[in-house]
Amino acid sequence: MGDLVAEFEAERQRLTAVAYRMLGSRSEAEDAVQETWLRYASALADPATRAGIRQLPAWLTTTCSRICLDVLRSARVRREAYPGQWLPEPFVTPLDPADGFAPDPAERAVRADQVGTALLVVLERLSPEQRVAFVLHDVFAVPFGRIAEVLGTTDVAARQLASRARRAVDAPQAPRHTAGPAEQRRVVQAFVAATQSGELDDLLKLLAPDVVLVGDGGGHFPAGRHPIVGADKVGRFTLGLFGQAGRYGPGLRGRPVLVDGVLGLLLETEFRDGRPLRLVSALAVHDGRVTGIFNQLNPDKVRDVPPLGPSDTWPPRW
């Protein structure tokens, strides 16, 4: 059993990354990986069965993906009844001041497969089968033969599913995120400065004409039932949001963080009725402008995000 645990733990981080990309929920991804472990321990405790599996990482990926596919099929029904707009649970990690993103080579390798909130939002528009095919092939380079096994279909059908998903991801109206670390930092710093100045013209210079803003309050806080689209509308809404936050309770505090591997902001304040309000804001950046703003303020989805400290202020320290 000790060997089984060690072999599985060596794959846990990768499996969690696969499941999170498919499910858009950290808790559901962890549950899927735990179920994978249970199936692994049950199937492979027999040495003869274990000897028949020549590529354990591939077997675990296939098993985990099948579990995720079942979850996705049931999740579509649940999310249709979700109050307001739905965003994935943010995967928030600290921002290292030395290089802006990752504190060490091992952590950089882990974050190399992180794709940002913008892509996760687009993936929500896909069918479960399309999403699984796209994530496995385009994000984790799993061959179509194995994807076909996961989906119970042919190689040709798996290719078609991934191709349809790719067209949706690359659609002109989908928020694009192509900026590297330096460009992200420059744009996000300017974005924060523009919200501080309160000048709409300053903010409009940073917003793409077709920028989209999505807020997920989960029914706990008002966040709008539909996305806000267009630079002028998003700019006015954003200035109003930050202006209101600054007037609530003790004021606004914040810190730059990584949200799904992309530079974003963690903010804390009080709502107008005195309730604590935590907001994780993920920004998509392309060609020097913000193409998407994704505000997660559902307390059920940010409860595991590390809280701000007493030294965190607004504007944040970089």
Side-chain angles (χ1 to χ4, degrees):
M1 180 60 71
D3 290 341
L4 292 177
V5 172
E7 290 173 342
F8 185 84
E9 288 303 318
E11 297 294 324
R12 179 183 290 275
Q13 197 168 50
R14 184 183 60 82
L15 292 174
T16 301
V18 170
Y20 179 64
R21 297 306 173 277
M22 291 185 183
L23 301 176
S25 166
R26 188 72 176 178
S27 58
E28 288 181 348
E30 291 172 348
D31 289 344
V33 172
Q34 186 61 25
E35 177 63 24
T36 303
W37 156 252
L38 293 175
R39 296 188 187 185
Y40 166 67
S42 175
L44 304 184
D46 179 6
T49 304
R50 174 68 183 86
I53 298 177
R54 298 181 179 180
Q55 294 183 331
L56 180 59
W59 186 93
L60 291 173
T61 300
T62 299
T63 302
C64 185
S65 298
R66 286 172 175 162
I67 293 169
C68 290
L69 182 61
D70 291 339
V71 174
L72 279 173
R73 287 167 172 164
S74 63
R76 292 182 71 86
V77 177
R78 297 198 308 272
R79 289 174 187 172
E80 286 176 359
Y82 191 80
Q85 301 173 92
W86 186 94
L87 287 174
E89 296 173 17
F91 182 37
V92 178
T93 46
L95 182 69
D96 186 86
D99 65 2
F101 279 71
D104 57 58
E107 188 71 7
R108 288 189 186 93
V110 170
R111 292 178 184 167
D113 62 14
Q114 295 183 348
V115 294
T117 306
L119 180 55
L120 290 173
V121 170
V122 175
L123 293 181
E124 280 298 307
R125 306 171 188 170
L126 306 179
S127 71
E129 293 76 13
Q130 288 173 343
R131 184 166 184 165
V132 168
F134 177 85
V135 169
L136 287 179
H137 183 265
D138 285 44
V139 180
F140 292 97
V142 175
F144 281 115
R146 188 162 294 276
I147 295 172
E149 292 179 23
V150 172
L151 298 176
T153 188
T154 65
D155 289 20
V156 172
R159 288 178 183 275
Q160 291 176 339
L161 288 166
S163 178
R164 294 190 190 108
R166 201 174 300 117
R167 286 197 295 270
V169 169
D170 294 335
Q173 66 272 24
R176 292 181 59 77
H177 176 79
T178 59
E183 183 181 1
Q184 289 180 50
R185 179 183 285 272
R186 177 181 61 80
V187 172
V188 175
Q189 284 180 323
F191 177 86
V192 170
T195 64
Q196 280 295 102
S197 74
E199 294 294 331
L200 180 60
D201 288 345
D202 292 345
L203 188 54
L204 291 179
K205 294 175 183 177
L206 298 168
L207 301 178
D210 56 351
V211 61
V212 59
L213 185 148
V214 180
D216 180 348
H220 298 277
F221 296 102
R225 297 194 63 83
H226 303 284
I228 301 173
V229 181
D232 187 73
K233 291 181 179 179
V234 170
R236 293 180 185 276
F237 180 88
T238 299
L239 290 182
L241 177 66
F242 278 91
Q244 288 179 348
R247 291 193 295 271
Y248 294 158
L252 181 64
R253 298 184 300 138
R255 177 196 302 166
V257 292
L258 294 179
V259 186
D260 301 313
V262 173
L263 189 59
L265 298 165
L266 169 61
L267 305 102
E268 292 182 1
T269 184
E270 285 186 359
F271 194 53
R272 53 177 171 260
D273 60 7
R275 286 181 294 162
L277 189 155
R278 307 181 73 207
L279 185 150
V280 175
S281 185
L283 282 75
V285 179
H286 173 69
D287 282 348
R289 291 188 175 186
V290 176
T291 61
I293 303 173
F294 308 98
N295 292 331
Q296 180 57 264
L297 44 109
N298 182 347
D300 297 331
K301 294 185 180 181
V302 299
R303 73 160 60 95
D304 294 330
V305 175
L308 295 177
S311 62
D312 291 307
T313 61
W314 188 261
R317 297 183 176 89
W318 294 82

